[in-house]
Every structure is written in C-alpha cells, then in structure tokens.
C-alpha cells in the first residue's frame, strides 16, 4: 500500500474550520460596522466643517467666493462618498481602488477655468475640506490613545 492509496481522514482542525463558517463572517461584519461608523463620523465632521467655513467665508469675503467654496466642498463630500463606496467593494468585488474619482476634481477645475463666475482657488480649497476632516480625526484619535495610555498604571 502506498501513500497515494491511503485515504486521509480529516483532522479535528479541518472539521472545525468547515463548521466555523458563521464565525468567519462575524469579524467581517464587525469590521464593516466599524467602517460604516467611521464613514458616518467623517461625513458629519466634513459637513460641520463645511458649514462653519462657508459662513466664515461668506462674512469675511463675499457671497460669490463662499458659493465657490461650497461648490468645491460639495465635490469633496461626493469624492469622500465615492471613496467609501470603492473601499466597501474592496476585497469582495475589487482588488484595487479605482482612480476615476479624481476625474471629479479635474472636471470641476476645468469647468471653473472656463466660466468667469467660478474661481479655481475657493473651489479647490473647498474640495480639500475632507482632508482637513481627516487631519482632525487623526489628531483626535492620537490624543485619545495618548490619554488612555497615561491613565493606565
């Protein structure tokens, strides 16, 4: 009798792996829940920051510049949403992130360069509002983790 003729009986770890199909989906579900919570938090921070900056620009400069900023900020929120959808599909349907989201910014800048009513700089800075949101989030998380380390004996 050779090794190729023998039947290999499944070991307990193989049986446990086969039975734990529902356990494997639980960490994925919890990580997706964390992702959705992070997305919601970033969206709320971005919208709040957009409102504060929009009102400040309206008061400090002019309504036209404030509306240009708001147009860029709306494009930034749309970009953040497209990025979240792309990340959500990563792993299940896709292997890498697509680059088509940048077409949104390029199209907006091209439109601003063609129309006299639109100004490129406020639109671009409005678009970057979501980046300020990310900076605020990272700094906040860094301070929270540092403060919890200091409290532990």
């Amino acid at each position: 009798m050779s090794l190729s003729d023998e039947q290999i009986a499944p070991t307990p770890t193989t049986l446990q792996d086969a039975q734990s199909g529902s356990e494997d989906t639980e960490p994925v579900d919890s990580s997706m829940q964390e992702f959705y919570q992070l997305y919601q938090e970033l969206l709320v921070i971005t919208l709040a920051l957009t409102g504060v900056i929009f009102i400040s620009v309206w008061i400090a400069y002019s309504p036209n510049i404030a509306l240009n900023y708001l147009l860029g900020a709306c494009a930034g929120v749309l970009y953040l949403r497209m990025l979240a959808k792309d990340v959500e599909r990563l792993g299940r349907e896709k292997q890498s992130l697509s680059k088509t989201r940048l077409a949104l910014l390029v199209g907006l800048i091209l439109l601003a360069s063609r129309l006299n009513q639109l100004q490129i700089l406020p639109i671009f800075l409005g678009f970057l509002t979501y980046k300020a949101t990310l900076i605020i989030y990272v700094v906040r998380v860094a301070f929270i983790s540092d403060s919890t380390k200091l409290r532990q004996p």
Side-chain angles (χ1 to χ4, degrees):
M1 183 186 282
S2 68
L3 290 175
S4 61
D5 293 340
E6 294 179 23
Q7 288 185 345
I8 301 174
T11 61
T13 57
T14 308
L15 288 175
Q16 289 171 353
D17 290 344
Q19 294 172 354
S20 67
S22 63
E23 293 172 6
D24 290 343
T25 59
E26 188 175 315
V28 172
D29 289 341
S30 67
S31 65
M32 287 307 291
Q33 276 302 105
E34 289 178 27
F35 168 74
Y36 292 132
Q37 289 174 350
L38 173 64
Y39 170 66
Q40 289 293 331
E41 184 177 354
L42 291 177
L43 190 61
V44 167
I45 293 171
T46 302
L47 292 174
L49 197 58
T50 297
V52 168
I53 295 172
F54 173 71
I55 292 170
S56 300
V57 170
W58 186 290
I59 292 169
Y61 293 100
S62 71
N64 186 32
I65 292 175
L67 291 173
N68 280 289
Y69 167 79
L70 186 62
L71 178 64
C74 289
V77 168
L78 183 60
Y79 180 87
L80 185 63
R81 179 170 164 71
M82 291 168 66
L83 180 64
K85 291 290 182 186
D86 213 15
V87 168
E88 182 181 21
R89 289 187 207 119
L90 192 64
R92 284 185 293 169
E93 302 169 19
K94 293 183 171 182
Q95 296 301 320
S96 64
L97 296 175
S98 67
K99 307 279 191 266
T100 57
R101 294 179 312 278
L102 279 179
L104 178 68
L105 177 62
V106 170
L108 191 59
I109 296 298
L110 285 174
L111 182 68
S113 68
R114 299 284 180 194
L115 298 175
N116 290 335
Q117 293 86 6
L118 298 179
Q119 298 175 358
I120 294 174
L121 189 60
I123 290 174
F124 182 68
L125 292 175
F127 181 81
L128 292 179
T129 303
Y130 83 94
K131 294 280 190 178
T133 299
L134 295 176
I135 292 170
I136 290 170
Y137 177 79
V138 168
V139 168
R140 186 175 61 88
V141 168
F143 282 128
I144 288 173
S145 65
D146 285 345
S147 66
T148 56
K149 287 179 184 176
L150 293 175
R151 290 182 191 160
Q152 294 174 349

mmCIF file of all heavy atoms in Angstrom, residues 139-149:
data_model
loop_
_atom_site.group_PDB
_atom_site.id
_atom_site.type_symbol
_atom_site.label_atom_id
_atom_site.label_comp_id
_atom_site.label_asym_id
_atom_site.label_seq_id
_atom_site.Cartn_x
_atom_site.Cartn_y
_atom_site.Cartn_z
ATOM 1 N N VAL A 139 -5.758 63.548 14.561
ATOM 2 C CA VAL A 139 -5.261 64.233 15.754
ATOM 3 C C VAL A 139 -6.112 63.870 16.963
ATOM 4 O O VAL A 139 -5.587 63.592 18.048
ATOM 5 C CB VAL A 139 -5.232 65.764 15.526
ATOM 6 C CG1 VAL A 139 -5.015 66.523 16.821
ATOM 7 C CG2 VAL A 139 -4.157 66.118 14.513
ATOM 8 N N ARG A 140 -7.429 63.823 16.797
ATOM 9 C CA ARG A 140 -8.318 63.467 17.895
ATOM 10 C C ARG A 140 -8.059 62.043 18.367
ATOM 11 O O ARG A 140 -7.965 61.788 19.572
ATOM 12 C CB ARG A 140 -9.777 63.633 17.473
ATOM 13 C CG ARG A 140 -10.757 63.426 18.604
ATOM 14 C CD ARG A 140 -12.172 63.724 18.174
ATOM 15 N NE ARG A 140 -12.610 62.867 17.096
ATOM 16 C CZ ARG A 140 -13.176 61.660 17.275
ATOM 17 N NH1 ARG A 140 -13.350 61.209 18.489
ATOM 18 N NH2 ARG A 140 -13.559 60.950 16.251
ATOM 19 N N VAL A 141 -7.910 61.111 17.437
ATOM 20 C CA VAL A 141 -7.645 59.718 17.807
ATOM 21 C C VAL A 141 -6.276 59.593 18.474
ATOM 22 O O VAL A 141 -6.111 58.844 19.441
ATOM 23 C CB VAL A 141 -7.751 58.800 16.567
ATOM 24 C CG1 VAL A 141 -7.200 57.419 16.848
ATOM 25 C CG2 VAL A 141 -9.192 58.712 16.109
ATOM 26 N N ALA A 142 -5.300 60.348 18.015
ATOM 27 C CA ALA A 142 -3.965 60.297 18.622
ATOM 28 C C ALA A 142 -4.003 60.803 20.056
ATOM 29 O O ALA A 142 -3.371 60.215 20.942
ATOM 30 C CB ALA A 142 -2.979 61.110 17.801
ATOM 31 N N PHE A 143 -4.746 61.876 20.310
ATOM 32 C CA PHE A 143 -4.834 62.394 21.671
ATOM 33 C C PHE A 143 -5.635 61.473 22.570
ATOM 34 O O PHE A 143 -5.323 61.333 23.746
ATOM 35 C CB PHE A 143 -5.428 63.798 21.692
ATOM 36 C CG PHE A 143 -4.444 64.857 21.294
ATOM 37 C CD1 PHE A 143 -4.747 65.782 20.312
ATOM 38 C CD2 PHE A 143 -3.198 64.928 21.897
ATOM 39 C CE1 PHE A 143 -3.844 66.761 19.945
ATOM 40 C CE2 PHE A 143 -2.281 65.904 21.537
ATOM 41 C CZ PHE A 143 -2.614 66.816 20.554
ATOM 42 N N ILE A 144 -6.656 60.830 22.044
ATOM 43 C CA ILE A 144 -7.442 59.895 22.851
ATOM 44 C C ILE A 144 -6.593 58.696 23.228
ATOM 45 O O ILE A 144 -6.604 58.266 24.372
ATOM 46 C CB ILE A 144 -8.713 59.460 22.098
ATOM 47 C CG1 ILE A 144 -9.705 60.611 22.045
ATOM 48 C CG2 ILE A 144 -9.359 58.245 22.767
ATOM 49 C CD1 ILE A 144 -10.924 60.341 21.178
ATOM 50 N N SER A 145 -5.820 58.151 22.286
ATOM 51 C CA SER A 145 -4.999 56.992 22.602
ATOM 52 C C SER A 145 -3.872 57.372 23.556
ATOM 53 O O SER A 145 -3.479 56.583 24.407
ATOM 54 C CB SER A 145 -4.443 56.349 21.328
ATOM 55 O OG SER A 145 -3.557 57.230 20.693
ATOM 56 N N ASP A 146 -3.319 58.570 23.433
ATOM 57 C CA ASP A 146 -2.284 59.021 24.359
ATOM 58 C C ASP A 146 -2.836 59.215 25.763
ATOM 59 O O ASP A 146 -2.190 58.878 26.742
ATOM 60 C CB ASP A 146 -1.640 60.320 23.882
ATOM 61 C CG ASP A 146 -0.692 60.113 22.726
ATOM 62 O OD1 ASP A 146 -0.314 58.944 22.476
ATOM 63 O OD2 ASP A 146 -0.341 61.107 22.062
ATOM 64 N N SER A 147 -4.026 59.759 25.872
ATOM 65 C CA SER A 147 -4.601 59.995 27.188
ATOM 66 C C SER A 147 -4.976 58.677 27.866
ATOM 67 O O SER A 147 -4.876 58.570 29.088
ATOM 68 C CB SER A 147 -5.828 60.906 27.099
ATOM 69 O OG SER A 147 -6.871 60.261 26.392
ATOM 70 N N THR A 148 -5.389 57.668 27.115
ATOM 71 C CA THR A 148 -5.692 56.375 27.732
ATOM 72 C C THR A 148 -4.412 55.670 28.160
ATOM 73 O O THR A 148 -4.410 54.945 29.145
ATOM 74 C CB THR A 148 -6.490 55.459 26.783
ATOM 75 O OG1 THR A 148 -5.764 55.297 25.573
ATOM 76 C CG2 THR A 148 -7.859 56.024 26.518
ATOM 77 N N LYS A 149 -3.312 55.891 27.473
ATOM 78 C CA LYS A 149 -2.023 55.297 27.880
ATOM 79 C C LYS A 149 -1.526 55.933 29.173
ATOM 80 O O LYS A 149 -0.924 55.282 29.995
ATOM 81 C CB LYS A 149 -0.972 55.474 26.779
ATOM 82 C CG LYS A 149 -1.197 54.576 25.601
ATOM 83 C CD LYS A 149 -0.136 54.820 24.557
ATOM 84 C CE LYS A 149 -0.385 54.014 23.306
ATOM 85 N NZ LYS A 149 0.586 54.315 22.254
#
